[in-house]
């Protein structure tokens, strides 16, 4: 993370040109956000020079994000870079934003980016000689309620293990740190001393100065009209001032990124939408405010407050945001956006409640600064699936200043090395497809996202807007039976079924860090899976069909997959698709339908990611056909010991393990419907079958199963039951437990890697090397010992794991196991060398010989570590069980 | 406010009194003296002697009995809103090229029934062949037939009266040759406003006869507006009277014509054209102009006189039209012949025809009136008809920039609200909607605290303004629900609106309100132009 330390050259340069820079620097004490950027003639940029006719990289967008990418690319040695800005540098959101750099983020990768940004900004002035307005003020996040305090405690325990000093402090300490805060209604607060404020336009200036010095060319007043794509690769761009041939294009156009994405030969979907964002700037207080007074984040009041030249700057995230530019009204810069005082009133009330003494302070201005928000509150980064070398970095969700440094670094690494140095899947643009690009959807969704920024993040919350987009044909039927829904990649999936007559709490009241109200309901569904049979609609899975006229399909899959796919027809193979570092690019099940075609089942959110991975590696061969058949099949998962009875009754075919071995697929008729792909796997380790049903038969097959199943005690179940089952069986889940950095060897899946299958597959060398050297982390299962399910806080994910009192990793997922009557957490165990923090090899012995604790919101619970599932504890055992258990598969 | 027991108490009294005193009053408020004001304010000054009405019990007893009663069912706010908003109607004069070229910006109107069915009517239309807009409220009695007919026909008569002869000839020519006729009026109707179809033929024939006479008789000069209004009122009333006497081919038409003539209706119509406003009134509805004083406060300017016993001049007029022997009987108990509250009205042929004519018409067609006691009884002391006229009093007012709006309303409103109060409420409501424009702090020295209280105040105003976009609805809400502090009291409003069908009439009359918003910018411009010419 700190690899981007200051190269010698830059330091030298800064020393050499102090005189030249002196007219670039202007006092940051005497300007307002609006008047920050007055002069551009002395800047090392030009808007009269003709554009070059070619460049290696073209970056579009001269805000803090674009300039950070340029800066980091030039640091990594890519200097043939052109940055185009349609107006002037730092004229958009960057000019107007509040300039708070805070590591208080809810996803680890975001915290890492913010932490890096903070450290970068801190030394940027020294490196470039440009004053950046950096002041390490620290930040205080206030809690009005116990629930908020719990969420802050969770943050503290996560941030601390990431090396970011922070602590929970009492209201009294808050008053000591900040002279204005009214503490009477506070229950506590979180203090992060390292957080800082900057002047974003000055940081842009610093980035640009350094980048220009390294050879980057910057042009103002040049807008990109079109991005040329040939054969799936970026080849050049068309601007209003001419054409530029380029190999790479980076879309950092902020809130115009959506529109810029569409201005391409192959439209690139960048699902973000701007909202108006208001903050108030006051004149200096009578008694003045120290420049290093901490930033206050009054989360429950929905506001933030920072010092602004002796006065305060306070904005917030109101409950009723105002989306803007839905029709895509483009403009060069934000001209004078209208101030809307009536809209700002709730935030002003919150401000005066928090700092009553501000009452007599004079108002300077209410600034309207549109910010872009994304469909899931996380920024958008990475290479588009539509065109190779088309990179995007946008949608900062009003944390642009916090993320710009780190995000720019990761994107530059991605472009230069082919992959970033951290797992950025949560931010990867490929988590979205075109289905998230509807303007109406985005408009509605960002209205939910913006208030959520400061809202309490409780476990298992779902977005309420933009729902019911993709549904199974059984949706209405299940809904009528009490289904409660969650959404994944636009697809509605059942969480659980509320029995008739049972009223669950309203959404707002069911937000809890403790035992949720559906505990018994899911328990009953799990029991039914264990003892009788349950049906779960799992239609959301991504399904591809790969077929060829000859052996090409097998050939390409053998190259992509670590497992051996040259298996008899009808066999199912669980396999990873690895990258050249041996990490999981995808974790899927492949069915050999016949000699020349395969059916690939991947996690739901792999629809774009996996497709693009396959396409990237497929030869341009018209004989080889890849088809996305996700929408063609409804998938029903029949879980439980009686599943075979139900199926055999419906098909007049014996379904016992002897006739239908595990991990086997057969096309057969179920009820009246023919051509159902029945597969003996359940993704849970329980006995049962997956049924892939052409959608027009879905309702029929479902009805038949429910009718016949009645005498076997069949019932509907949801994903919460599935989750509990798969976690207690130690099944890892791509996207949650596994990512592009985890290898099969680290999670005990060596048996799914066939080094000697006769074909060289991607990642083989890396895995061989890792096998040689040993793994630095191991996927481990923890059973919480002294955790009281009723009274203690529940684990979720992201809880630190301590071994003999030392931090060794974080949990990646957890669930209550109804079988064990304990909580089960999954996570990776590392061994950090004391002092240096270097990662050492972790062998099973290291894992087994340790006393473990899991820290939930500051409280540690003893845990037993296991490298293998508790197969002995499960009573319902079948002969073939072990086979599936050991070759587990989860999505 | 009113306790439940209080209400039932008074309802019993009211019922008694009506039974004793006015046998023929079953159908109309104008025959029954009970007005909501009498009942709600506890003011028994107007109570009929011998009605058995007693002052309501003292507050103490009242409170106790209130507590003893179970809490009555209360309407929720959405329920109240849905009742109040059922009949609301708003019309905005379309802007042309960003400018409004009419001196009327638009109008809001609303009705609240207490009779079932409601006996009030309202009409509004823009004149297409001449200029100006016509708006009227019509308070029917003894049924709604007359008010209904007037609401459909009067504006046509007025429009025809206002048309130059040339246009009338064109229209007649078109009708004669069965060519498309130029439309005369553009109606602004609420979807619930009923239009009778069966009598359309008859109405049209009468109207055509009227304009034919205008063509034959009138000079090339068209009538001035004042005379035209009077002419139209009188002509329509005489047409109603005549239609009831002749036997039409269609029995239903016949029946309707008679119903129209036997029932009655007052009318108050405003004609607004540029800076000229004429108000023609016959009866006890009223037109009140809202005038904004230079200091921003509001005052009311009444543009009509009520024709009832409260108006001494009107009493004098009625008495003077009849021999001295009738002086005692013409106006008794503040009523015409002891029966009718308004002293001018359309229809009501019993007060207009001679007894012979009444007998002749009614007895020739008894089948039309079977079972209806009221229609067969004749007024007592009926010696020298006509006692009643539809001749309106026309008031002219030249609009000034400070004239912001005109309220036309039936007596249902004026009985329970003082005109000053009405103007106050409408004026504040309209300006609030205007003032709620974005504010800017730029260029002002404002502290955070000042801005905060300003915003809170605006928010409070917004929330009350949001309740009623329609000013007429807002006014009715206040009329029914205001407590002594001028605030809307939910429980009071709920009680007033949840009165059972038969009971409502004893607490409040049918309410019809039209609020016309005037374009003071344009009026100011007109005035300046005219002044400079002078």
């Amino acid at each position: 993370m700190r690899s981007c330390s200051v190269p010698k050259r830059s330091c030298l340069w800064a020393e050499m040109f102090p005189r030249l820079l002196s007219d670039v620097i202007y006092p940051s004490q005497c300007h307002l956000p609006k008047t920050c950027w007055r002069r551009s003639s002395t800047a090392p940029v030009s808007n009269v020079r003709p554009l070059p006719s070619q460049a290696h990289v073209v970056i579009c967008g001269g805000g803090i994000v674009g300039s950070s990418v340029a800066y980091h690319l030039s640091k990594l040695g890519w200097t043939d870079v052109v940055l185009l800005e349609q107006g002037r540098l730092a004229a958009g959101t960057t000019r107007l934003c509040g300039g708070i750099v805070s590591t208080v983020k809810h996803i680890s990768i975001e915290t890492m980016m913010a932490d890096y940004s903070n450290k970068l900004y801190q030394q940027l002035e020294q490196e470039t000689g440009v004053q950046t307005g950096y002041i390490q003020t620290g930040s205080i996040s206030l809690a009005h309620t116990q629930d908020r305090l719990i969420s802050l405690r969770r943050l503290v325990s996560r941030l601390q293990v990431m090396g970011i000093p922070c602590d929970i402090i009492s209201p009294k300490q808050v008053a000591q740190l900040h002279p204005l805060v009214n503490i009477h209604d506070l229950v506590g607060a979180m203090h992060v001393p390292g957080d800082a404020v900057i002047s974003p336009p000055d940081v842009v200036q610093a980035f640009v100065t350094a980048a220009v010095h390294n050879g980057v060319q910057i042009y103002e007043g040049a807008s990109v009209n079109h991005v040329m794509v040939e054969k799936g690769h970026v080849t050049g761009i068309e601007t209003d001032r001419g054409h530029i041939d380029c190999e790479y294009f980076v879309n950092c156009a902020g809130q115009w990124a959506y529109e810029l994405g569409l201005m391409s030969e192959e439209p690139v979907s960048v699902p973000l939408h701007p909202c108006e964002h208001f903050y108030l700037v006051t004149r200096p207080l009578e008694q003045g405010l120290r420049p290093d007074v901490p930033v206050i984040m009054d989360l429950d009041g929905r506001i933030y407050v920072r010092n602004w030249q002796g006065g305060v700057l306070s904005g917030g995230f109101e409950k009723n945001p105002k989306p803007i530019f839905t029709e895509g009204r483009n403009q060069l810069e934000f001209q004078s956006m209208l101030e809307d005082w009536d809209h700002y009133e709730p935030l002003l009330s919150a401000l005066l409640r928090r700092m009553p003494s501000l009452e007599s302070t004079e108002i300077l201005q209410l600034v309207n600064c549109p910010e872009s928000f994304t469909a899931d509150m996380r920024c958008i980064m990475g290479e588009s699936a539509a065109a190779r070398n088309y990179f995007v970095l946008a949608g900062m969700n009003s944390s642009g200043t916090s993320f710009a440094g780190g995000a720019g670094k990761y994107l530059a690494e991605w472009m230069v090395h082919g992959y970033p140095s951290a797992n950025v899947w949560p931010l990867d643009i490929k988590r979205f497809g075109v289905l998230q690009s509807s303007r109406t959807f985005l408009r509605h969704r960002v209205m939910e996202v913006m208030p959520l920024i400061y809202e309490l993040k409780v476990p298992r919350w779902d977005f309420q807007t933009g729902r019911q987009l993709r549904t199974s044909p059984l949706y209405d039927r299940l809904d009528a039976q009490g289904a409660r829904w969650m959404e994944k990649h636009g697809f509605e999936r059942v969480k659980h079924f509320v029995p008739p007559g049972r009223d669950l709490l309203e959404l707002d009241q069911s937000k809890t860090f403790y035992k949720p109200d559906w505990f018994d309901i899911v328990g009953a569904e799990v029991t039914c899976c264990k003892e009788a049979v349950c049906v779960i609609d799992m239609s959301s899975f991504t399904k591809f069909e790969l077929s060829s006229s000859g052996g090409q399909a097998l050939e390409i899959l053998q190259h992509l997959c670590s497992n051996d796919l040259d298996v008899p027809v009808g066999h199912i193979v669980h396999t990873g698709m690895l990258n050249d570092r041996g990490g999981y690019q995808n974790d899927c099940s492949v069915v050999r339908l016949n000699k020349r075609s395969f059916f690939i089942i991947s996690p739901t959110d792999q629809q774009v990611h996996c497709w693009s991975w396959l396409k990237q590696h497929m030869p341009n061969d018209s004989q080889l056909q890849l088809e996305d058949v996700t929408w063609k099949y409804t998938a029903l998962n029949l879980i439980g010991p009686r599943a075979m009875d139900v199926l055999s009754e419906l098909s007049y075919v014996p379904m016992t393990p002897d006739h239908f071995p595990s991990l086997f697929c057969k096309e057969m008729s179920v009820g009246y419907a023919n051509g159902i792909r029945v597969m003996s796997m359940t993704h849970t380790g329980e006995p049962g079958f997956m049924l892939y049903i052409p959608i027009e038969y879905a309702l029929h097959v479902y009805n038949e199963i429910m009718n016949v199943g009645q005498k076997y005690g069949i019932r509907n179940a949801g994903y919460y039951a599935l989750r509990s089952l798969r976690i207690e069986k130690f099944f890892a889940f791509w996207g949650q437990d596994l990512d592009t950095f985890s290898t099969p060897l680290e999670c005990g899946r060596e048996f799914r890697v066939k080094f000697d299958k006769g074909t060289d597959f991607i990642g083989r060398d890396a895995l061989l090397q890792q096998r040689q050297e040993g793994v630095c982390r191991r996927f481990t299962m923890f059973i919480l010992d002294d955790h009281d399910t009723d009274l203690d806080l529940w684990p979720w994910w992201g809880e630190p794991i301590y071994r003999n009192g030392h931090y060794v990793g974080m949990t990646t997922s957890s669930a209550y196991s109804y079988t064990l009557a304990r909580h089960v957490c999954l996570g990776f165990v590392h061994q950090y060398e004391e002092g240096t923090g270097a990662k050492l090899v972790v062998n099973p012995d290291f894992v087994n010989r340790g006393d473990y604790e899991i820290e939930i919101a500051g409280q540690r619970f003893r845990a037993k570590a296991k490298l293998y599932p508790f197969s002995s504890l499960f009573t319902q055992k079948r002969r073939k069980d072990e086979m599936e258990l050991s070759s587990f598969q989860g999505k | 406010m009113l306790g439940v027991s209080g209400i039932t108490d008074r309802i019993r009294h009211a019922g008694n009194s009506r039974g004793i005193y006015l046998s023929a009053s079953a159908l109309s408020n104008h025959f029954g003296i009970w007005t909501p004001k009498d009942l709600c304010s506890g003011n028994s000054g107007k109570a009929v002697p011998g009605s058995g009405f007693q002052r309501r019990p003292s507050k103490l007893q009242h409170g106790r009995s209130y507590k003893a009663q179970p809490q009555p069912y209360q309407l929720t706010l959405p329920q109240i809103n849905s009742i109040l908003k059922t009949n609301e109607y708003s019309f905005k004069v379309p802007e042309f090229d960003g400018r409004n070229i009419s001196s009327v910006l638009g109008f809001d109107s609303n009705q609240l029934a207490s009779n079932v069915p409601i006996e009030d009517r309202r009409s509004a239309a823009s004149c297409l062949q001449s200029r100006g807009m016509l708006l009227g409220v019509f308070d029917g009695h003894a049924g709604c037939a007359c008010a209904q007919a007037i609401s459909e026909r009067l504006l046509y008569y007025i429009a025809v009266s206002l048309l130059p002869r040339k246009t009338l000839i064109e229209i007649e020519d078109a009708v004669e040759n069965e060519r498309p006729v130029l439309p005369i009026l553009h109606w602004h109707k609420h979807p619930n406003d009923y239009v009778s179809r069966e009598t359309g033929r008859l109405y049209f024939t009468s109207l055509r006869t009227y304009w034919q006479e205008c063509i034959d008789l009138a000079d090339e000069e068209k009538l001035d507006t004042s005379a035209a209004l009077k002419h139209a009122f009188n002509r329509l009333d005489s047409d109603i009277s005549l239609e009831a006497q002749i036997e039409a081919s269609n029995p239903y038409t016949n029946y309707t014509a008679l119903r129209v003539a036997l029932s009655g209706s007052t009318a108050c119509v405003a004609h607004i054209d540029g800076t000229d406003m004429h108000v023609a009134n016959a009866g006890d509805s009223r037109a009140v102009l809202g005038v904004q004083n230079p200091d921003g406060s509001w005052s009311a300017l009444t543009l009509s006189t009520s024709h009832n016993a409260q108006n001494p001049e009107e009493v004098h007029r009625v008495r003077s039209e009849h021999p001295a022997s009738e002086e005692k009987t013409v106006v008794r108990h503040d009523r015409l012949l002891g029966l009718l509250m308004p002293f001018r009205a359309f229809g009501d042929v019993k007060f207009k025809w001679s007894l012979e004519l009444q007998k002749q018409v009614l007895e020739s067609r008894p089948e039309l009136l079977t079972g209806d006691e009221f229609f067969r009884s004749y007024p007592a002391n009926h010696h020298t008809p006509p006692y009643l006229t539809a001749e309106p009093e026309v008031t002219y007012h030249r609009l000034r920039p400070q004239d912001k709006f005109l309220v036309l309303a039936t007596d249902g409103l004026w009985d329970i609200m003082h005109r000053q109060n009405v103007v106050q409420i409408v004026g504040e409501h309209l300006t609030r909607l205007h003032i709620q424009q974005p504010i800017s702090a730029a260029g002002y020295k404002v502290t955070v605290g000042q801005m905060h209280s300003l915003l809170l105040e605006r928010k409070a105003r917004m929330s009350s303004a949001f309740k009623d976009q329609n000013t007429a609805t807002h006014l009715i809400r206040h009329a029914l629900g205001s407590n002594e502090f001028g605030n809307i009291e939910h429980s009071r409003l709920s009680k007033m609106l949840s009165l059972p069908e038969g009971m409502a009439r004893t607490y409040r009359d049918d309410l019809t309100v039209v609020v016309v918003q005037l374009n003071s910018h344009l009026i100011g411009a007109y005035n300046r132009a005219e002044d400079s010419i002078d």
Side-chain angles (χ1 to χ4, degrees), chain A residues 280 282-283 339-342 344-346 348-352 358-366, chain B residues 436-456 458-459 462:
Chain A
L280 173 79
T282 72
R283 293 192 188 279
E339 51 190 317
D340 184 343
W341 279 98
D342 294 306
Y344 181 71
E345 182 275 323
L348 185 62
S349 296
L351 175 64
L352 280 176
L358 286 179
E359 194 147 75
S360 55
T361 311
E362 206 179 303
I363 290 167
L364 187 55
Q365 201 178 5
L366 182 70
Chain B
Q436 213 60 262
Q437 270 154 5
I439 47 173
S440 164
Y444 298 102
K445 279 194 148 199
V446 193
T447 68
V448 175
Q450 285 167 340
M451 181 58 90
H452 186 229
S453 40
L454 175 64
L455 292 177
L456 287 183
R458 281 165 67 88
K459 191 169 144 193
M462 273 300 244

Side-chain angles (χ1 to χ4, degrees), chain A residues 245-316:
Chain A
D245 282 322
C246 63
E247 287 169 51
Y248 287 86
F249 178 72
V250 189
N251 178 349
C252 299
Q255 57 183 310
W256 312 125
Y258 177 90
E259 286 164 285
L260 180 60
L262 299 182
M263 289 190 273
S264 165
E265 208 78 36
E266 296 285 335
V268 171
S269 159
V270 186
L272 56 79
H273 192 295
C275 279
E276 292 181 49
H277 174 66
F278 295 93
Y279 64 81
L280 173 79
V281 187
T282 72
R283 293 192 188 279
L285 272 62
E286 269 173 36
Q287 67 280 20
L289 202 57
R290 288 199 328 274
D292 61 340
V293 72
V295 174
I296 296 293
M297 289 187 273
D298 186 353
L299 306 167
D300 298 298
R302 301 176 172 278
I303 54 163
Y304 58 82
V305 188
R306 65 164 280 198
N307 163 58
W308 184 266
Q309 293 163 20
V312 299
L313 182 158
S314 169

Side-chain angles (χ1 to χ4, degrees), chain B residues 453-484:
Chain B
S453 40
L454 175 64
L455 292 177
L456 287 183
E457 193 191 310
R458 281 165 67 88
K459 191 169 144 193
R461 268 199 252 138
M462 273 300 244
S463 57
S464 70
F466 257 122
K467 220 182 272 170
D468 294 314
Q469 288 295 325
N470 187 304
T471 319
T473 312
H474 184 72
L475 195 53
I476 293 178
R477 189 190 298 272
H478 269 273
L480 299 182
S482 276
N483 61 13
E484 50 269 48

